[in-house]
Structures are given as C-alpha cells and as structure tokens.
Amino acid sequence: MVSTSHDVEESWDDEFQQLVQTFPKDKSFTGMNLYFFQGFWCPSIVLKAVISCQKHFQAFDSDIIIATLPKCGTTWLKALTFSTLYRNQFARENNPLLTYNPHSLVRFIDYDFYFNDTCPDLENCTLYQPRLFSIHLPYASLPTSIKNSNCKIVYLCRNPMDTLISFWSFFSRLRGEGFEPVSLDGAFEMFCQGINEFGPFFDHVSGYWRASQEKSSKILFLQYEDLKEDITSHLKKLAMFLGVPFTEEEEKQGVVEEIAKICSFENMKDLEVNKKGVQTFGYPQETFLGKIKTYEIPREAFFRKAKVGDWSNYLTPSMVVRLEKLIQEKLENSGLTFKLFSKTSNDITSTE
Ligand code: PAP
C-alpha cells in the first residue's frame, strides 16, 4: 500500500496551507501533485519537509551528502558510498548491504528525516560516522549550512533519455498503488517542459555541474554511464574525494573490486532483502491524529534493467531528435556532455 500525497496535505497547518496557495501547481506525469517552488517542481508530499530542512538542518563539516535527481542511480550511489566510507567499521562478510536495502542505510534528509518532524534530532542519527545523508533538492535550494560548511557532496546524474524511461517505467510499475502515470507521450512532453519531480532536469544537472566546477573539493560530479563503464577507477576517485583513499594493501587485496561487486546491479537485485517487501520512507511515526505519514515502495521496483541506452527501446525517432536538440540547447558551452549509449557489451551500443 502506498499512501498518497493527500494524506500529507490534509495534515498541513493553516499557515502552511495559505503559503502553498501562492505557489503554481501542476501534476507530474507520475500522477503526483507538484508545486513550483524556488524555481523547481517540488512534490507536494515533501514540500513541508523541504521547507523545514531548509530552516533547520545543520550540516557538520564532516557530513557527506549524496545528491541526485530521482532515477539517476541513487540506490547504487548509496550502496557504493556506504560501502566505501564505512568499510573499516564492519567486517567485510557482514556488509549491512547484504541484509538492508541501501535506502534503509542512507536516509533522505527531505524524504525521511524531515517528513514527519519539522526539527528532528540528527546529532547521532546514523549508525556509523561520519554522517551520510541523501537529498533530491537542486543545488540552489539546499539548506544553507550544506552549501556554507565544509561538508562534501557527491552528485550523480544520468543521461536524460534513460532517466525519463527509468522514471516512467518505475511509476508505470506502481500503477494502482497510489500512482497513476500518464502515457509515455504525455510523460515525454512534460519531461521536456521540465515538469517532473525536482525538475527541470537540465536546471538540476547544470546547478550541480556549475557548483562542482567552482568548488571541486566540495562537490564530486559523477555520471551513471561513466560508473557503468569503469566502476573501479570511479570507486577509487570516490574514496579519494571522501578522504578515505584505498591503501596499496587494500588494492592488492582486491577491496575495490569487492565493493564494486557487492554493489553491482546483478548482486543487489538478487539479494533476498531486495526481492521482497517494501521500502518505507518518511520514518514511520504515529501522529496524535493516529495517522502514519509514510509511503512505501516495493523494494524490487528499485532494480529494473540498469542499462545504458535502454531508451532506444522506447523513444520514437522524433522524440530522440527533440531531446537531442534540448540537450544541445541546454548544455551549450557548459562543457558537460551525456553518453547516450555505452561502449561496453553489457549495455546497449549505438550499433545494435
Ligand atoms: P530512485 O530515485 O527510486 O531511488 P534510482 O536508484 O535513482 O531510483 O534509479 C533507479 C535506476 O538505477 C534503475 O534504472 P533502470 O530503470 O534503467 O533499470 C535501476 O535499475 C538502477 N539501479 C539500481 N541499482 C543499481 C546498481 N546497483 N547498479 C546500477 N544501476 C542500478
């Protein structure tokens, strides 16, 4: 059962109800209500949490924040960062990833901690140190303390075509469970217009891209396609950035490859914990009204195909031309490019 956004909206207090009336409103192609707020489309289900975390979240210099747009590889990046950062805090054979979904191990600031609580106590909220969080907010809307402290941000993006298909497939899979996605034609149109969760897509990506160019020691900008192409060198880069580089000894022992393997799509998809049950977001909490404000997603929905270029099985030639044009237009002179196909045979190559 997935609770809908209406449950949350009903519990908003009057002041907040009045405030949101001033924001433009639309519906995402996933069927979710969105508010246009600070230049991005914020899911109504999380708007109050976003405003609360912007007001109250206090970053520590030692914090690590994983930032993504939905469907760009969040689950994978959570697994990789968790396993790399905390590798000396548990025995290798006891990696918690073997028994917990990555979303249980690395919680969202917006979708979990502030979902039910305007000012949660986050001093010792994570099992391991340093604190590791994740967030979907655009760079410009991050809590000020994240931007101004020395905490580090790892950003992962993915080419817009695969992101759209992953997004649309995910919510199509959840049809009838609180989500009513529109046809791919409709989804494509809205995605191009930038009307989707935390979109516009290109604003999100460009915001982090520019920030990473200005502050390379604070923001590591990664692309899903690059990780798929060469996970070992990107894991080393990630470890270095996090301040926990792999030692020569670790490299000799094959620790890097071991982490890559445990976090691989093939391994994670087949773990019992990811094959059954639901992932609960929003930190379950009984309110005095007796309502539990959470939402649940079947865990297996986080693992679909994980292919680069899967969009070529869905998008029509005219859709491809339009998105290619948009990529060119939006990223012109930015120095940022997307790989639409893969060089490795595991994925879809442009000649297939
Ligand atoms: P979320 O926003 O719901 O958390 P997110 O994890 O960001 O989703 O992205 C899901 C995509 O990552 C899926 O892509 P697909 O729809 O094209 O298949 C999912 O299959 C893929 N994915 C999940 N786990 C991994 C992994 N370990 N390695 C590579 N890709 C993965």
Side-chain angles (χ1 to χ4, degrees):
M1 208 282 293
V2 180
S3 65
T4 66
S5 53
H6 305 298
D7 298 338
V8 176
E9 285 184 39
E10 273 170 24
S11 69
W12 286 351
D13 53 45
D14 291 347
E15 193 189 339
F16 188 68
Q17 292 277 12
Q18 276 178 7
L19 177 70
V20 295
Q21 274 172 23
T22 62
F23 303 152
K25 195 174 177 178
D26 211 325
K27 232 182 184 32
S28 158
F29 59 79
T30 63
M32 275 187 164
N33 289 327
L34 302 174
Y35 285 104
F36 197 63
F37 165 72
Q38 297 179 348
F40 75 98
W41 287 100
C42 186
S44 67
I45 191 173
V46 82
L47 180 59
K48 195 170 186 182
V50 165
I51 293 173
S52 301
C53 81
Q54 287 180 339
K55 263 194 200 160
H56 301 295
F57 181 77
Q58 279 307 317
F60 298 166
D61 286 339
S62 56
D63 286 346
I64 309 291
I65 316 282
I66 288 172
T68 53
L69 267 173
K71 312 321 295 176
C72 285
T74 320
T75 313
W76 192 17
L77 184 60
K78 284 185 175 187
L80 293 167
T81 311
F82 180 90
S83 301
T84 304
L85 188 64
Y86 300 140
R87 66 186 184 277
N88 294 323
Q89 299 183 42
F90 45 75
R92 278 192 219 161
E93 61 280 14
N94 291 336
N95 188 327
L97 273 180
L98 297 170
T99 39
Y100 291 94
N101 178 274
H103 290 293
S104 299
L105 298 172
V106 184
R107 288 282 180 181
F108 285 103
I109 294 176
D110 40 13
Y111 270 101
D112 286 312
F113 289 116
Y114 283 84
F115 200 81
N116 285 310
D117 194 338
T118 47
C119 199
D121 178 9
L122 300 180
E123 276 287 311
N124 299 302
C125 62
T126 58
L127 206 50
Y128 303 99
Q129 294 299 323
R131 300 191 306 182
L132 173 60
F133 297 109
S134 104
I135 204 159
H136 280 320
L137 286 181
Y139 182 76
S141 292
L142 287 175
T144 317
S145 71
I146 294 185
K147 286 186 275 190
N148 291 349
S149 69
N150 287 328
C151 77
K152 291 185 175 181
I153 301 171
V154 186
Y155 184 73
L156 179 64
C157 67
R158 187 179 191 185
N159 81 55
M161 300 197 191
D162 281 326
T163 304
L164 166 63
I165 295 305
S166 181
F167 227 129
W168 181 74
S169 304
F170 179 79
F171 285 101
S172 297
R173 151 83 184 70
L174 299 178
R175 188 183 298 278
E177 296 189 58
F179 298 99
E180 292 305 326
V182 300
S183 66
L184 181 55
D185 280 358
F188 178 82
E189 187 55 43
M190 295 190 82
F191 186 80
C192 287
Q193 287 178 26
I195 308 172
N196 58 274
E197 289 77 354
F198 303 96
F201 173 91
F202 291 101
D203 289 1
H204 203 280
V205 173
S206 305
Y208 280 97
W209 173 249
R210 276 195 304 272
S212 73
Q213 302 288 99
E214 283 161 21
K215 306 175 193 173
S216 58
S217 59
K218 182 175 177 71
I219 305 166
L220 178 65
F221 189 96
L222 297 172
Q223 293 184 266
Y224 184 90
E225 297 76 20
D226 294 338
L227 265 58
K228 287 280 285 179
E229 208 168 283
D230 181 0
I231 188 61
T232 310
S233 75
H234 283 91
L235 262 178
K236 290 183 192 169
K237 197 171 172 181
L238 174 66
M240 186 74 86
F241 175 77
L242 297 174
V244 289
F246 293 106
T247 62
E248 251 178 61
E249 191 54 31
E250 283 181 308
E251 289 202 20
K252 259 192 234 151
Q253 287 174 2
V255 173
V256 187
E257 288 75 14
E258 209 172 275
I259 292 178
K261 193 168 169 198
I262 207 169
C263 299
S264 71
F265 177 73
E266 292 70 24
N267 182 61
M268 295 199 56
K269 189 182 168 75
D270 277 347
L271 290 172
E272 274 314 300
V273 62
N274 294 326
K275 284 202 283 196
K276 54 177 203 267
V278 291
Q279 187 60 33
T280 303
F281 294 90
Y283 256 41
Q285 240 179 49
E286 285 282 350
T287 69
F288 69 97
L289 290 171
K291 272 188 183 164
I292 306 173
K293 295 188 289 172
T294 60
Y295 68 101
E296 297 172 335
I297 306 280
R299 289 206 191 99
E300 47 99 8
F302 293 106
F303 308 91
R304 194 182 63 99
K305 290 191 192 171
K307 295 256 181 237
V308 176
D310 185 43
W311 57 266
S312 59
N313 294 315
Y314 296 84
L315 300 181
T316 63
S318 66
M319 286 173 166
V320 175
V321 169
R322 177 145 170 224
L323 254 180
E324 276 177 342
K325 245 189 182 164
L326 209 55
I327 295 173
Q328 205 179 5
E329 210 178 281
K330 297 287 182 185
L331 301 183
E332 204 173 22
N333 301 324
S334 69
L336 176 63
T337 55
F338 283 115
K339 288 178 185 153
L340 299 178
F341 286 108
S342 168
K343 283 187 206 149
T344 57
S345 54
N346 265 348
D347 289 308
I348 298 162
T349 54
S350 56
T351 49
E352 272 177 14

